[in-house]
Every structure is written in structure tokens, then in C-alpha cells.
Amino acid sequence: MTVDDRSDAEIQPFRIEVPQADLDDLDARLARTRWPDELPEVGWAYGVPLQYIKGLAERWQSSYDWRAWESRLNEYPQFTTTIDGQNVHFLRVRSPNEDALPLILTHGWPGSIVEFLDVIGPLSDPAAHGGDPADAFELVIPSLPGYGFSGPTRERGWNNQRIASAWAELMGRLGYPRYGAVGNDAGSLISPELGRIDPEHVVGVHVTQLFSFPSGDPAEFADLSAEEQRELGTLQWFYENKMSFNTLMSQQPQTPAFALLDSPVGLLAWNAQLLGEDLDADFALTNVMLYWLTGTAASAARLYYENAHATPPSEPTTIPIGLAAFGGDFSGIRRLAERDHKNIVHWSVFDHGGHFAAHKEPDLLVDDVRTFFRRFR
């Protein structure tokens, strides 16, 4: 899991090979967990419930198979390169279709490249999954700077705009004259910025959220549709019940890092507040493992600080943008999104799917991505 010194433009093959000693250390730490007390019958009101985390930790220690997931990740060609002084790790999955459109897929926190494992096959080789070969994509799936095998960051300033610039450099370094971008969570912020920074090469951007928030002007709330009212309600609930992680990591990301780097159950609980209880355990644990094994909980959290202290763009994006809004997640209110993005050409709404749609509803997401990008082939 180390990267040799090399010139910035060089691309090196990479393979995940976690030392057994690291897995043994994890097991020993899990066995020594000190559990907090909990008030009776409070559910999620005070935070992540004790029994929920105990259940995940029990599976983590007793039956979770990291080596199986490591092998699954290693099925795909992986590489590292240095961009703007930062190590960048990425999967690059070729397509059997020579006319495949290149696509860069960007994850967020508390996710990882694992988010996209279930869509790699259908996107890169649609014919093998019952689709049209003309819809094929060649995939580049990087780990965000500071996350997983791209981490940690070594200097300040790795905000959305700087990451988008790194992605533009990466796609140029790989030789793509035109490509699309797909994003979830932080990727839904970075991908439109990539379109803003590299409009000569980015043909379109597909995201699962458009984070455009009310300005406070009462006129913005006039004549809301039922769908918009639901989205606004979801946003309000999230702000009132789930935004503590954002506040802390935007203000003091180093403070929780001491606990998150020392306690695997602490890291599990911190990330599980956003992973949610509706995800299967092994998917949640594998995402957490990429933070634990690489020691990147601290550097991943710094993304929130960097964005909170960055100067936001002053002009709306003009790149063609498509949204797939999945039920159970705040995806966006179109009238607000059109204030920040002047070229929204596609807007799909699904009544389920949640925040990790690429894992929970891969067929729906794949179909929507294919539909959006057909206009750019």
C-alpha cells in the first residue's frame, strides 16, 4: 500500500495488499472495545444506537471477510499517479466497445470507490448485462484526495475546485479528448465543478444531488409543488437531526481524528451515522475498512473544512447537467438548482433508492446514466 517516488506525470499500476498484521491489529482492537452506556428507548434520537453498532462490530470481528472484498476490488485495474503534489489512486475499467464514452465517477463521505462496484459491469460492458453495446462507457473511478488509497492529504487547500482541477488533469493524462462525469454526495459537487473547469472536454455531468439551498427569500417558497415540499421537508429534517458531522468537520476536523484513528468502533459509529441502517452490513463495513486500513479518517474529514473556508464560484455552471433524484435522500429542488446551474437538461425522480443508489438501486442508476449521456455520443 505504498507509492514509490516518481515524476508527477507517471502512472503506476497498483494492487491492494493489506498486511495480515493490520487485520490482526484490527481484530485485537475490536476485542478491547469499551462500550458507552445508552438511555433506554431513545432509538436514533441521541445518535447512532448502541445495539446497532454492536451488531455491526460483531459481524466485523466474527464473519466479515476483508480478503474477499480485497479480491473483488483487485479484479479491476488500479493505478496511482501524482497530481498537484498529491497521490491519486483510481480504478480504470476499459470497455470491449471501442466507441465507449469515457466517464469519471466520484464518490463522497462516508463512502468510497466501493459505492460504484455494482455499476462497473453494466456501465462498461452493457451487452454482457442485457443492454445495448452503444451505451458503453470506459470508467475512471478515483479515490478522493485524502480518502482511502489516495490519502492522506499533505497540505491545505484540497477543496472541491482543486479536486475538480486534479480530475481534469487526470483525464487529460489518460488521453481522453471528451468525457462525462458522474457523482454522488461530494461527487455531486465536484462533478459540476469539473464541467466548469474543463468545458472543452466535459460533455455532460450526471449527479444524484444538486445542493442548492434556500436563500431565505420568501418568494422562493411560493407555489411549491408537492414534490418540492417533500424535498424541502427532507432537507429541513436533515438539517435539524443530522448536520452535526458537517459542523464539526467543517470547523475542527482534527479534534475527532484522535478517536477515529485509534478506535475502529469509534470510526464505525462516526461513519455509520450517514451510512444508515438500511444498508447491508458488509457494504457498510467495507467502506469503513478503506478509511481504517489507510488511516484516512482525519484527512477525509478535512474536505469539509477546506470547502467551508473556500471562496465559492460566483457564476452558475453552464455545462449540461442531469439529476437522478432517489427517494429517501435530499436530491434537490429544481427551481433552486436552476439558480446555480443554467443548463439542467435531465431530471429524473425515483420514489426509493436513498443516498447510495449505485449500490442499492444500480439498475435504476445505470439506466438513468445511459439515458442522459446518449445525447452526447
Side-chain angles (χ1 to χ4, degrees):
M1 300 196 307
T2 60
V3 179
D4 297 330
D5 292 335
R6 57 182 183 269
S7 64
D8 279 1
E10 190 173 356
I11 295 174
Q12 291 280 353
F14 181 87
R15 183 175 176 83
I16 303 171
E17 295 177 332
V18 173
Q20 184 60 40
D22 291 355
L23 302 181
D24 294 341
D25 175 73
L26 170 61
D27 185 69
R29 288 171 182 267
L30 288 170
R32 295 196 306 270
T33 299
R34 295 180 63 192
W35 296 101
D37 69 324
E38 183 179 62
L39 293 174
E41 301 180 1
V42 296
W44 286 72
Y46 283 70
V48 184
L50 176 61
Q51 290 306 313
Y52 173 60
I53 296 301
K54 276 191 170 183
L56 281 176
E58 167 63 25
R59 179 167 182 81
W60 202 0
Q61 188 174 23
S62 65
S63 59
Y64 172 78
D65 186 354
W66 161 254
R67 293 301 186 196
W69 283 90
E70 183 180 71
S71 295
R72 185 178 177 188
L73 285 164
N74 282 332
E75 290 175 5
Y76 303 107
Q78 298 175 62
F79 304 89
T80 59
T81 191
T82 301
I83 300 176
D84 193 11
Q86 175 64 36
N87 178 57
V88 173
H89 161 262
F90 60 97
L91 310 184
R92 187 184 189 187
V93 183
R94 307 274 191 168
S95 172
N97 188 331
E98 63 181 16
D99 296 323
L101 177 68
L103 203 63
I104 183 168
L105 292 83
T106 307
H107 67 86
W109 184 91
S112 68
I113 57 173
V114 175
E115 286 185 37
F116 298 116
L117 287 179
D118 295 321
V119 301
I120 288 176
L123 287 176
S124 63
D125 190 4
H129 295 81
D132 184 346
D135 286 326
F137 298 95
E138 180 165 319
L139 305 179
V140 176
I141 308 176
S143 300
L144 287 171
Y147 287 64
F149 298 107
S150 284
T153 47
R154 302 295 185 185
E155 61 184 16
R156 304 176 70 161
W158 277 100
N159 55 40
N160 290 338
Q161 289 75 29
R162 188 172 178 183
I163 294 171
S165 293
W167 282 188
E169 169 64 24
L170 175 61
M171 297 303 276
R173 194 172 291 182
L174 293 173
Y176 297 131
R178 58 193 306 272
Y179 62 93
V182 166
N184 179 54
D185 193 79
S188 287
L189 295 166
I190 293 163
S191 298
E193 289 307 306
L194 178 55
R196 186 200 305 274
I197 288 168
D198 196 19
E200 297 85 1
H201 304 105
V202 177
V203 298
V205 171
H206 183 282
V207 295
T208 44
Q209 301 90 16
L210 285 173
F211 295 111
S212 298
F213 303 119
S215 65
D217 182 352
E220 289 184 334
F221 300 96
D223 302 322
L224 290 176
S225 68
E227 176 190 326
E228 290 171 331
Q229 290 175 10
R230 285 193 300 272
E231 284 292 300
L232 193 61
T234 300
L235 174 61
Q236 184 68 24
W237 180 89
F238 192 88
Y239 182 81
E240 294 174 353
N241 294 277
K242 289 284 190 177
M243 281 292 284
S244 57
F245 79 96
N246 190 303
T247 300
L248 181 54
M249 295 199 299
S250 294
Q251 295 178 351
Q252 296 187 332
Q254 191 65 26
T255 301
F258 296 97
L260 302 182
L261 269 290
D262 191 58
S263 168
V265 167
L267 175 64
L268 176 63
W270 184 250
N271 286 30
Q273 65 178 309
L274 269 294
L275 288 169
E277 60 183 331
D278 61 339
L279 291 173
D280 54 282
D282 281 11
F283 174 78
L285 290 170
T286 304
N287 278 285
V288 172
M289 281 291 274
L290 288 187
Y291 292 78
W292 178 260
L293 294 171
T294 58
T296 52
S299 58
R302 287 197 286 267
L303 176 60
Y304 286 79
Y305 182 94
E306 302 297 353
N307 285 329
H309 293 80
T311 301
S314 59
E315 298 295 328
T317 67
T318 57
I319 201 76
I321 287 181
L323 173 76
F326 288 90
D329 187 32
F330 175 75
S331 295
I333 298 173
R334 185 154 190 168
R335 69 175 68 186
L336 302 184
E338 288 176 341
R339 179 189 63 200
D340 299 325
H341 305 283
K342 294 300 185 184
N343 196 7
I344 299 174
V345 298
H346 175 93
W347 189 283
S348 298
V349 177
F350 304 97
D351 62 5
H352 61 288
H355 190 68
F356 294 96
H359 175 67
K360 291 191 66 180
E361 296 294 340
D363 291 344
L364 289 180
L365 181 62
V366 165
D367 286 346
D368 206 71
V369 169
R370 289 171 177 169
T371 299
F372 173 72
F373 281 105
R374 280 175 190 145
R375 74 196 71 198
F376 305 114
R377 292 185 180 272

